[in-house]
Amino acid sequence: MSVVLEEMSDLAVSKNEATNRLAQELKDSGVLADLFARIDAGDVDLSGDGGLIPALVKTTLERGLTAEMDSHLGYSHSDREGKAANGRKNSRNGSYTKTVDSQVGPIEIQVPRDREGEFTPRLVPKGSRRLGGLDDMIISLYAGGMTVREIQWHLETTLGTELSAQTISNITDAVLDAVLEWQKRPLDEFYPVMYLDAIRIKVKDGGHVRNKAAYLAMGVDMEGVKHILGIWVQNTEGASFWASVCTNLANRGVKDVLIVCCDGLTGLPEAVEATWPDSMVQTCVVHLIRASMRFVSYKDRKAATKALKPVYEAVDADAALAALEEFERSELGQRNPATVATWRSAWDRFTPFLQFPPMLRRVIYTTNSIESLNYQLRKVTKNRGQFPTDEAAVKLLWLAICNIEDKRAAQRLKDKGKKKGEIRNAPGKLFQGGKVTNWKQALAQLAVAYPDRVNKYL
C-alpha cells in the first residue's frame, strides 16, 4: 500500500508542477495582463455567481462534452464533408440545460444531444447532478469530523450548493465497498510487533444507545512501517471476541507475530496463544502505570510514579521484583497497597519485555504508536452524539485514518529532498505508512532474540 501511495504522490507532484509551469508561462507571456488589470479594478470576480472560475469550469465542461459528441458522431460540428462521408442518419439535435453542483458552486451547462438519443456523455453522466470533485470534498469534510448537517450548511453558505442530508449521507456511504475491501485485504505473513488498543464510541443498537469499543490492530512489518490491519466494533471484550479477531487476521494471511503489545485486554493472551502459539503478549507499561495510579492520592502521584520507575527500568525481572518489593516496604507503598497489587496481578504480562535490550524495549513497552492515532480519531468522533450502526462507525474511522495518512504523506512529500536539519522536528507517527523510530536497531535485536523466526523473512 505504501508503494501505491508513493506512486500516487509522485503523479500528483508531476501534475502540480505542470500546472504551475503553465500558469507561469501564461503570466510571463503577458496574456493575463489585461485579466489581472480587470481583477484589480473590480470588474471581474474570481468566484461566486458570475465569477471567472465557475465560468472557466463551465467552458471547459461544455468543450469536453462537444468533443465527446464529435467522437460519438465521427465528425465535428463544422465538418460538412465528414458528415456527408459518414453516411449516418444520426446527427446533432441541439442541447439541453443542466445544472450541476461543483466545488466552485452550481454551474449551468449546455449538454449536446443527438437525434437518435444514443449519446451518453462520460464527463457529466446522465442523471448526475454533481461533479466528482464535490463528492471528494464532502467525503473529506466527513472524514475531518463534520456531521452530515454541518456539511449541508457548509456547502450552502460557502458554495451556494443545496444538497439534502440524505444525498450527503448517500455520498459518504459510497465508500462502504472500499471499507469492506480494506477489511478483507490480504496481509503479510509475519509482523514482528502488533499493537492493539480501543476507543469508546456510542452506537444505536436495538432502540438503545450503547457504549461500545472500536478496536484497532496496528502491525509493524519488516521494514518498520506501521499498518492498520483492521477495525472491529464490539459491546464488550473477552476471549471469544479476541479469538475471532485473531482468526480473522490469520485467515487473511498472518502466520506469525513475535510480540503483541496491549493494555491488558481480557482474553487476549489466550486468543493470541491459540492462534500463534509462539507469540508473546506484552502489557503496555504506560497503561499499567496509569492503572496503578488510580488508587494514589493526587499529592502522592508524582512521588509514586518516580518511586516505581526502577521497576520498569530494571535490568531484568529479578531486579524489577526487588524494586517493587522495596516500594512495597516504603512509607509510600504502605499507604497505597492497591498500587502494588495492580503491578503484581499484571506481573506475568509485564516482565517479558525486560529480557530485551533498551532499543527494543522502546518499541514494545507501550502502545503509544496506536494511541497517537486514537487521539486523532477521538477528535473526529467527538462531534458525533451517536452512530446509527456499527458499519457507520467503521466507515467514519476508516475515512479518518485515510485523511490522517493523506496529511502526513503530504508532509513527507514536502520534506523530500530537504536536508536533515530543514525537516520539521515532529516525526510522522500518527498514520499507517509511518515508520517506527530506530527500527533498524530494534529489528537487529529481534533477529538475535528470535533468529529462526526473523531471519527467514529478512
Side-chain angles (χ1 to χ4, degrees), residues 371-422:
E371 282 192 35
S372 297
L373 176 65
N374 285 348
Y375 171 74
Q376 298 291 317
L377 296 179
R378 288 187 187 98
K379 290 167 62 178
V380 172
T381 58
K382 70 179 181 180
N383 286 344
R384 301 297 194 282
Q386 63 189 48
F387 290 96
T389 62
D390 291 353
E391 290 75 16
V394 173
K395 176 183 71 174
L396 176 62
L397 292 172
W398 181 80
L399 285 171
I401 290 169
C402 293
N403 198 35
I404 292 167
E405 181 173 348
D406 284 346
K407 287 189 290 186
R408 293 298 181 175
Q411 184 61 58
R412 290 202 310 275
L413 200 60
K414 290 180 181 179
D415 292 342
K416 262 188 175 181
K418 291 184 179 180
K419 296 179 181 178
K420 186 174 182 181
E422 297 175 345

Side-chain angles (χ1 to χ4, degrees), residues 203-348:
V203 181
K204 193 171 183 180
D205 186 5
H208 300 280
V209 177
R210 303 183 187 278
N211 284 316
K212 293 189 176 184
Y215 291 94
L216 278 75
M218 175 186 283
V220 180
D221 66 16
M222 290 295 288
E223 299 299 321
V225 178
K226 295 176 285 188
H227 303 274
I228 301 299
L229 307 181
I231 305 171
W232 299 269
V233 176
Q234 184 73 8
N235 287 334
T236 56
E237 59 178 288
S240 60
F241 166 66
W242 285 114
S244 66
V245 169
C246 292
T247 300
N248 177 277
L249 296 174
N251 289 340
R252 289 161 58 196
V254 182
K255 294 182 178 179
D256 192 13
V257 181
L258 286 184
I259 302 166
V260 179
C261 186
C262 62
D263 60 353
L265 303 169
T266 305
L268 177 60
E270 294 77 11
V272 170
E273 290 163 359
T275 309
W276 305 297
D278 297 325
S279 296
M280 182 186 83
V281 179
Q282 169 66 46
T283 295
C284 171
V285 176
V286 174
H287 277 87
L288 184 55
I289 294 171
R290 290 175 186 165
S292 64
M293 289 298 108
R294 291 175 188 163
F295 310 102
V296 181
S297 64
Y298 181 78
K299 66 182 182 66
D300 286 341
R301 283 186 182 177
K302 189 173 182 179
T305 302
K306 184 178 180 180
L308 286 169
K309 197 171 183 179
V311 178
Y312 56 86
E313 289 189 347
V315 295
D316 55 32
D318 292 337
L321 182 59
L324 181 63
E325 291 174 346
E326 182 179 348
F327 173 81
E328 186 176 20
R329 291 191 297 269
S330 68
E331 182 181 347
L332 196 58
Q334 293 293 317
R335 289 202 303 270
N336 299 283
T339 297
V340 178
T342 300
W343 281 84
R344 289 193 180 280
S345 64
W347 196 255
D348 290 342

